[in-house]
Structure formats: C-alpha cells, structure tokens
Amino acid sequence: MACCGGQGQVSLNGISGQREWRPLIYRKCTDVLWLVLFFLFWAGLMFITGYAITAGAAERLVFGYDSFGNICGKKNIHVEGAPLSGQDMTNKKHVFFLNSCSLEMKNLTINSVALCVSSCPQEQLNSLEDVQLFAKNNGSCLCVYNLNISSYLLNPKAGELCPTLPVPPSKSFPFFNRCVPQNPECYSQFASVLINAVNEMDVFHRVLSGIMAGRDAVIGLSVLALVFSLIMVLTFRFITTLLVHIFITLVVFGLLFVSSVLWWLYCDYINDPSIELETEKENVKFLLGFSIISTMITIILLSLILALRKRIQPTVQLFRIANKTISSIPSLLFQPLWTFLILIFFWVFWVAVLLSLGTAGSARVILGGQVEYTSLSGIRYMWWYHLVGLIWTSEFILTCQQMTIAGAVVTCYFNRNKSSPPRHQILSSISVLFCYHQGTVVKGSFLITIARIPRIIFMYLYDALKEKHVYLATAINGTNFCTSAKDALFILAKNSANIAFIDCFGDFIIFLGKVFVVCFTVFGGLMAFNYHREFHVWVVPLLLVALFAYLVAHSFLSVFEVVMDALFFCFVIDMETNDGSPEKPYFMDQELLSFVTHSTKLAEGGNKRNQKTTGNSEDGTELQPMVRREQRRRDETIE
C-alpha cells in the first residue's frame, strides 16, 4: 500500500508495462487494512454511545430538573436513596424555586429547593390558603411532592416544605423553563443569581444548551437548505445563459446582504448596555468573527466573478455536455437523496450522543433526599474522539457518493455502443464499491480528515487528496488508494493546465451554487435565532446550520462536479490510449471532442497573448492541446 514506486504496472514476465486504463470485470479488494481500522474506530464510537446513553441525560440541559433528580416534562427513573425521585413529570414542565426572591449561589449550586410544576403562579400568593387554592384550581402543587394538598394548612412543617410567602407572580421563561418572578425586586435578585449560574457553566455546556434550545430552528433551517439545494439542481439541470446571469446576481446579492446583516447585528450587540450574560458576550465575539470572515469571502468571490465573467457561455456548453451524460443515467440525480438521508440520520445520532456526553454524570444523594450530579472524568477525551468520528464518517459518506457516480460515468463512457448504454449503472457501481473498494474510500476519507483538522499545516496534502481523480482511477483500474493516486497524477501531469482551463469556471459556478444555499440558509437562521439571543449561544447553532447547509448543497451539486471531472478524466485517458484510427477508435462522442478542441484553442491563444505581453516567449512553456497532432490536422482539414 505504499504510495511510492514505479508508474507502470508489472506484467507477468516481470517487465514494467503501460497501464491499459479499462474498467475491470474481475477485481480484488483494496485497502482492506483501512476498512478493518474503520470498523475498530466505530467500535470505539459505539462504546462512547453506550456510555453516553447510560451516564448522560441531555434533557437536563434544556428542560430543567428539580432537587430530587427528576427531569421536568418526562417520566423519570428512581434514584436509590432518593425517595422523591422517579416520578412521572410528563405534565409538569416548569421549574419552580421555593424561595425565588432570596436565591443564593453557593459552590456552583443554588441554595433553594426546585420543583417541577405544571404551571407558574400568575398572581401573588400571600398565604398558604392561597397556595392551596392555586393547587386545587390549577393542579399545580407548589409544595414538596410528599406533602398532600389537604395538609398544607395542617402540617407543622408546611412552612419549610412550601414556598416562602408571599409568592410573587411569575411566568415561564424559555431558558430551562424556569418560573421567573415578575416582582421587580425579586426579578433583580433572581436574574442576578441566574446570570451567575449561566456564567459558571463552561463553554461546552453553554453551547450544548444553545443547541438544545434552538433545535426546532436547526431542523427547520436544514429543511430550508434541502429546498435551496433542489432549486440549484434544477437550475444546473436546465441551465441557460439567462439562468446563469440571474443565479450570479442572486449570489452577489446574498453575499452582500448576509455580510451587511452580520455587521448590523454586531453593532446592535455592542451598543446594547444591558448585556450581562457570558453567553451574550460570546455571541458578540462569534458575530465579529463571522462578520470578518463573511466580508473577506464576499470580496474574494466578487473579484473572481468579475475576473471570470467572460467564461459564462463556454460554461453553459460544459453543463449541457454533463447533462447529456446525466440524461443517459437519470438515476444519478437520485443518488444525493440517499446521501442526504444517511447524513441526516448520522448527524442526528452524532448530536444526540454529544448532548448525552455533555450531561454525563453520576447521581449523588445528599442531605434531605436531594440529588446532585457530578461530572465524570475523561469525558473531554471522548468529545475529541467523537469529533473525529463526525468528520471521518461524513467524509466517508460523501466519498461513497463520489465513488458511485464516478463508477457509473466510467462505465457509460467506456461503452462502445452509445445507443445502448449498460443497464443499472448505479446499482452496479454501488455493488463494486461495497464489495471491493470500501477500504480505499475509508483511507481517502481518513487522510482528508487528518488534513482538515490542522488545516494550515496540511493544506497541500488536502488539496492533493480531495481530488476525485483518485476514486476515478480506482473505479477504472480497481487499484488501491495510493496506486490510484500515483496513476491519476501521472496521467494528468501532461494535461493538468488544459483540464484546469476547461473545468475551472464550471467548478466555480458549482461552488457559487453551494454559497447560494449557505447564504440564504444563514439569512433565515439570523432571523430565527436573533429573537432568542439572551440565554443561549445561538451563533454556534447558526454555524452548525451553515456547515450542514454546505454539506447538503455539496451532496446534491457534487453530481455535476463529479460527472464533469469524470468526463474529462476519461477524455484524457481516451486520448492517451487511443488515436482515433479504426484499430483504436475513440470512446468519446463528437460533441465532447469539439468542445475540448475549441477550449484548448482558447487556452493556446490566451497563453500566446500572455507570452507576447511579458516578452518572455523564449523562456515560456507553450500550453499543449490535449488532442493529438493527427487529430488536430484532421479537424483543420474538416474546417
């Protein structure tokens, strides 16, 4: 599996020969060791999942819990040694403190007894009779659970087991469903203690609470990203010059608008004198970072759009050629749907385990039968392992899609009878992938994962390994990852400049499609999250939404990207191994040959103009066309 070695393959007589570059019928498994390693890694993830499920309770982050180990709004499991634990709190969704007007923070815990109640008192309760009447009329008991409603006035300990009088009017606040007192004096004390409690939480737990609090918006925005991605697929499928102009205009508008909104929100935050919570301060920091990054991306993309504006018409023709291949394999457009569903399932699973890890702790019974939770050691190491699992598995899922599309396009391209394409190309490609080349996909996705984490250091490695040409070489020759990378780099070395000239703006338009999806999804997120800015880190869920929107867009739009890369890679191989003669006819059709020939002439013309401008024509290297000399003469004769 070494990446170093000769460039040819060894024949039976031991002499190094030229690789034939034809789809193999009989294959062997590649990079099996990496597949085993991936299974072992997932065994570790399953251990962490089981540990998180048994030791964690993500509901505590958002629903809140009482002093006796019960999570509000759900059925609970009994904690040994805590007689008031294990109660059914399905209808009791609000957290109520017995002495809400005199809360204090000691050793990271609030000194008041907390209860789960069905509703918060809307009016002030001045006596135990009022508390009893409120419980009878509303079904919301404000005293400790083991005190019967009829005993509120008879039990001598009712003063300790019931709330401190008078009970101020309160209403439920969307942060942990707390009953927040509305009396100005009580509210000031309550808010002060609550702010200290939130600020004492570490960043990870504040982020987790933000994710849970904004989970409905995250789900809705993910669906919105799916809708925008489908719109972009239809745009590229039936592309015209007018559609490209409209699309680029929308992208420019989206970039400018989102950047402006981010800066406006940042200015609104820094000019707000009421900011006290640590979460709000973190929102300000995140907003500043997002605003700067968004502005830089906007400037770069606008410059590229301006520089490449004259390449619109050839790009439309390029997409039409790619759409011709997609028309012959219509099931290619359905492949991203399966990828999307698998990604959704995996991300939901990953977030659920992350939330459980964030609340993993052991219950400890203290004085009075109350329960408190202590964090377990070693959890943070599991978080990092879990993060690597997110990146590696996501890359694996997306790479499987690329490999499937590449295999189908390769099979279609190297078919002599264009009027009768092979049947079930997608199913055949999936079968080859899962039977022979899962190890290669695992290895490639792992190397990309390693390159993504220290991005600056491994930028070159990432750029080299992310190319789909490696998986195209595997789809054709059935070789392992390193051999495929070596063969792909060797075959592209002669034509890399021409391929870049032809394909660069097509890839850029596809990237703009991804930017379009992310921009408008983020805008929807800004509008949704900005209304709940006080008590959770909403900028982090917004970042997750942006990343997920990009993944969804990449999953759908990569169909066109992989098809175009596969067509040109197969074209290069076709030109290398055939000469157009009756003995070695080309596999390509005339439309693809004409397009590449015309684009190559444009590349040659641009290169000559550059040489004349710089005055270094003697030292410069002329761009060579991809077509062979005999074919170029034949084309000139026809013209």
Side-chain angles (χ1 to χ4, degrees):
M1 278 188 265
C3 290
C4 302
Q7 295 171 344
Q9 67 179 135
V10 179
S11 60
L12 293 176
N13 57 7
I15 302 175
S16 178
Q18 185 76 18
R19 186 173 294 282
E20 294 184 0
W21 288 99
R22 290 292 180 271
L24 294 180
I25 298 178
Y26 303 102
R27 297 174 178 260
K28 64 179 181 179
C29 296
T30 56
D31 298 304
V32 178
L33 182 60
W34 283 90
L35 183 60
V36 174
L37 179 64
F38 190 61
F39 285 149
L40 292 177
F41 180 85
W42 258 90
L45 279 183
M46 289 298 99
F47 171 79
I48 291 178
T49 300
Y51 181 81
I53 292 175
T54 56
E59 298 92 342
R60 292 204 306 266
L61 277 176
V62 65
F63 299 131
Y65 56 98
D66 63 14
S67 298
F68 307 100
N70 299 298
I71 299 174
C72 300
K74 63 168 291 185
K75 294 182 179 180
N76 294 274
I77 301 175
H78 178 72
V79 178
E80 186 177 355
L84 297 181
S85 63
Q87 300 196 35
D88 185 358
M89 299 295 181
T90 305
N91 297 321
K92 299 180 179 181
K93 301 180 179 180
H94 309 281
V95 180
F96 176 77
F97 293 99
L98 294 188
N99 55 340
S100 56
C101 288
S102 57
L103 293 181
E104 292 183 6
M105 189 79 175
K106 294 181 179 179
N107 298 326
L108 301 181
T109 58
I110 298 177
N111 65 338
S112 173
V113 173
L115 302 176
C116 294
V117 298
S118 56
S119 63
C120 304
Q122 301 293 321
E123 299 178 355
Q124 181 168 302
L125 307 178
N126 297 309
S127 64
L128 287 178
E129 289 85 351
D130 293 339
V131 175
Q132 186 182 52
L133 183 62
F134 175 78
K136 290 180 179 180
N137 294 337
N138 297 278
S140 182
C141 302
L142 304 182
C143 297
V144 177
Y145 309 130
N146 57 357
L147 182 62
N148 192 278
I149 297 178
S150 59
S151 303
Y152 281 10
L153 303 178
L154 303 176
N155 195 311
K157 295 184 178 180
E160 301 175 4
L161 302 178
C162 292
T164 302
L165 299 174
V167 180
S170 61
K171 66 177 182 179
S172 180
F173 197 76
F175 179 66
F176 291 170
N177 297 322
R178 309 289 202 218
C179 288
V180 180
Q182 298 304 295
N183 182 296
E185 296 179 358
C186 294
Y187 177 82
S188 177
Q189 176 67 20
F190 185 93
S192 176
V193 174
L194 192 59
I195 288 173
N196 291 333
V198 174
N199 291 343
E200 289 295 335
M201 297 168 60
D202 59 31
V203 175
F204 180 76
H205 284 85
R206 286 198 293 269
V207 169
L208 289 183
S209 64
I211 294 174
M212 288 296 290
R215 65 191 183 282
D216 295 334
V218 170
I219 294 174
L221 291 169
S222 300
V223 175
L224 182 64
L226 172 63
V227 173
F228 283 135
S229 298
L230 292 175
I231 292 174
M232 291 313 306
V233 168
L234 293 177
T235 301
F236 290 154
R237 182 66 180 87
F238 305 101
I239 195 167
T240 61
T241 304
L242 177 62
L243 276 179
V244 173
H245 283 290
I246 295 174
F247 161 66
I248 292 178
T249 303
L250 288 175
V251 170
V252 172
F253 169 77
L255 288 170
L256 295 174
F257 188 72
V258 170
S259 298
S260 301
V261 171
L262 284 171
W263 281 112
W264 174 77
L265 285 176
Y266 173 72
C267 294
D268 184 53
Y269 263 100
I270 61 176
N271 293 325
D272 187 356
S274 63
I275 292 180
E276 296 183 27
L277 284 174
E278 193 67 28
T279 54
E280 290 183 305
K281 296 177 182 178
E282 289 175 358
N283 285 339
V284 174
K285 296 177 183 178
F286 280 121
L287 269 177
L288 178 60
F290 284 174
S291 301
I292 295 174
I293 294 174
S294 177
T295 303
M296 293 175 61
I297 292 175
T298 300
I299 295 173
I300 293 172
L301 289 181
L302 290 180
S303 302
L304 289 174
I305 291 173
L306 184 64
L308 298 174
R309 67 189 184 280
K310 296 182 180 179
R311 292 284 299 165
I312 292 179
Q313 189 59 41
T315 301
V316 173
Q317 187 178 357
L318 174 62
F319 273 96
R320 286 174 178 169
I321 293 174
N323 283 323
K324 184 177 179 180
T325 301
I326 294 176
S327 298
S328 63
I329 317 175
S331 54
L332 282 177
L333 292 177
F334 295 97
Q335 182 63 26
L337 290 175
W338 296 108
T339 304
F340 172 77
L341 293 176
I342 295 173
L343 276 176
I344 284 285
F345 176 80
F346 171 68
W347 272 58
V348 170
F349 160 79
W350 187 86
V351 171
V353 175
L354 179 69
L355 294 174
S356 297
L357 278 178
T359 56
S362 57
R364 184 169 66 92
V365 180
I366 59 176
L367 185 65
Q370 298 183 22
V371 177
E372 67 177 14
Y373 294 91
T374 57
S375 299
L376 302 176
S377 60
I379 293 295
R380 293 190 178 274
Y381 298 105
M382 295 184 181
W383 294 343
W384 286 108
Y385 190 96
H386 197 54
L387 177 62
V388 173
L390 169 68
I391 302 175
W392 192 1
T393 305
S394 298
E395 287 290 344
F396 173 78
I397 295 171
L398 292 173
T399 305
C400 283
Q401 173 180 291
Q402 295 176 8
M403 187 78 175
T404 300
I405 297 173
V409 174
V410 164
T411 303
C412 182
Y413 186 96
F414 288 105
N415 175 46
R416 291 291 184 189
N417 188 0
K418 301 297 183 182
S419 61
S420 179
R423 300 178 61 185
H424 311 300
Q425 297 103 313
I426 290 290
L427 293 178
S428 176
S429 182
I430 293 175
S431 175
V432 170
L433 166 63
F434 282 95
C435 291
Y436 301 103
H437 303 310
Q438 282 193 81
T440 297
V441 173
V442 167
K443 184 176 182 178
S445 58
F446 175 78
L447 293 177
I448 295 174
T449 301
I450 295 299
R452 280 189 186 276
I453 296 175
R455 187 68 179 266
I456 298 177
I457 301 175
F458 292 102
M459 179 64 75
Y460 175 79
L461 178 62
Y462 171 73
D463 289 337
L465 295 178
K466 73 175 182 178
E467 296 296 329
K468 290 159 284 294
H469 300 125
V470 177
Y471 306 114
L472 284 166
T474 298
I476 297 174
N477 297 321
T479 50
N480 61 37
F481 184 87
C482 290
T483 303
S484 298
K486 174 190 64 181
D487 293 339
L489 290 174
F490 176 70
I491 198 71
L492 290 173
K494 305 175 183 178
N495 302 283
S496 59
N498 293 323
I499 288 292
F501 178 81
I502 295 172
D503 208 20
C504 67
F505 197 67
D507 288 342
F508 181 64
I509 288 292
I510 293 174
F511 177 73
L512 287 183
K514 301 173 187 177
V515 173
F516 171 86
V517 174
V518 173
C519 277
F520 285 93
T521 304
V522 167
F523 171 71
L526 288 173
M527 298 298 101
F529 286 122
N530 189 49
Y531 290 104
H532 304 286
R533 60 167 67 179
E534 291 89 357
F535 285 115
H536 62 269
V537 186
W538 59 265
V539 182
V540 173
L542 182 63
L543 177 61
L544 290 178
V545 167
L547 292 175
F548 185 77
Y550 181 82
L551 277 178
V552 173
H554 176 73
S555 174
F556 279 83
L557 300 184
S558 64
V559 172
F560 299 93
E561 191 175 0
V562 176
V563 167
M564 286 190 289
D565 286 341
L567 284 175
F568 287 115
F569 187 74
C570 293
F571 178 87
V572 171
I573 294 172
D574 203 0
M575 298 300 297
E576 281 290 323
T577 56
N578 300 303
D579 55 13
S581 64
E583 293 78 15
K584 291 184 177 182
Y586 292 127
F587 285 93
M588 71 191 74
D589 57 18
Q590 186 61 39
E591 184 178 5
L592 178 60
L593 179 60
S594 300
F595 173 75
V596 176
T597 302
H598 177 70
S599 300
T600 304
K601 289 179 180 179
L602 291 178
E604 286 183 308
N607 186 63
K608 290 178 180 179
R609 285 193 298 271
N610 291 335
Q611 289 177 348
K612 291 178 180 179
T613 302
T614 57
N616 295 328
S617 56
E618 295 181 359
D619 299 330
T621 302
E622 182 181 0
L623 287 174
Q624 297 297 323
M626 285 187 290
V627 296
R628 293 180 180 274
R629 184 177 302 173
E630 295 82 4
Q631 180 61 37
R632 187 162 61 249
R633 290 176 178 173
R634 191 180 300 115
D635 292 338
E636 292 174 352
T637 302
I638 294 175
E639 293 175 358

